Amino acid sequence: VFLSSRDAIGVSKVGIHVFINPAYLELFGFPPDADLAGKPVLDLIAPKSRDRIKEYLLRRARREPVPSTYETCGLRADGSEFDMSVNVSRYEENGEDHTLVILRDVTERKRTEETQRASEKKFSAIFGLIPDPTTITDIETGSIVDLNEAAARWFGRSSEEVIGLTTAEVQV
């Protein structure tokens, strides 16, 4: 399972790589025969994220609470940076603490989210500037989901009072 997983899986001890699977090498852009055993985990963290991850490593070593899932910025072998999700578990083997990480590249998801936020911001700006009373209505329920300022003035009520009602309930 470890070797065939499509997720990047690594095991470290005190912030030093012990085992990694082929997907881990691929995620960071290393050739399949690369050997990261004995190399610091922080070497694969982008400089802008290192202080936070170093703090997590130190706190984990002291057995203090640390997030088990988070996102950070990884550093590929070619020096390029990428966004990754991290899922961390601590376990003990032969009396020594080890850390198991499962990593995923989330760069595309984050780009999509940013594009969606920008699109929503543009839509909101345009929607607010429409001079005619305009509502957005849920097709299934007929309730108003959003309305512009012109519609609120036309209804003679605030947006908060109108959202969730049908146009019939607003009693124009």
Side-chain angles (χ1 to χ4, degrees):
V1 170
F2 180 80
L3 293 174
S4 63
S5 175
R6 297 186 66 169
D7 288 327
I9 302 173
V11 174
S12 64
K13 185 168 55 169
V14 195
I16 303 297
H17 288 102
V18 177
F19 303 110
I20 54 169
N21 71 349
Y24 193 99
L25 290 171
E26 184 179 336
L27 177 67
F28 287 98
F30 287 99
D33 60 345
D35 184 11
L36 298 183
K39 296 197 170 43
V41 169
L42 285 175
D43 286 355
L44 300 181
I45 303 298
K48 65 184 175 189
S49 299
R50 280 193 188 135
D51 287 343
R52 180 171 59 106
I53 303 307
K54 183 177 182 180
E55 180 63 24
Y56 287 175
L57 291 170
L58 292 171
R59 287 174 45 198
R60 191 170 290 109
R62 294 188 303 253
R63 295 189 178 205
E64 295 174 1
V66 181
S68 60
T69 58
Y70 54 89
E71 290 185 359
T72 192
C73 193
L75 184 66
R76 290 201 168 90
D78 66 4
S80 63
E81 297 179 359
F82 67 101
D83 295 309
M84 64 180 176
S85 68
V86 181
N87 189 315
V88 184
S89 300
R90 188 194 69 75
Y91 70 95
E92 197 172 304
E93 184 178 312
N94 299 326
E96 295 180 313
D97 281 342
H98 290 72
T99 303
L100 173 75
V101 296
I102 299 173
L103 309 171
R104 291 188 178 136
D105 186 333
V106 295
T107 305
E108 192 56 40
R109 187 202 80 209
K110 290 190 80 135
R111 272 192 208 126
T112 301
E113 289 171 354
E114 182 55 39
T115 300
Q116 182 177 354
R117 274 191 295 277
S119 178
E120 288 170 356
K121 188 175 179 180
K122 286 179 189 174
F123 172 79
S124 181
I126 292 168
F127 185 66
L129 293 174
I130 297 172
D132 296 324
T134 307
T135 63
I136 299 174
T137 306
D138 183 304
I139 277 190
E140 292 179 13
T141 66
S143 33
I144 297 170
V145 176
D146 202 357
L147 65 153
N148 66 0
E149 285 298 316
R153 283 191 305 275
W154 189 58
F155 290 135
R157 297 165 111 176
S158 71
S159 297
E160 292 78 22
E161 294 174 296
V162 174
I163 291 176
L165 301 175
T166 65
T167 51
E169 292 171 327
V170 177
Q171 300 176 350
V172 180

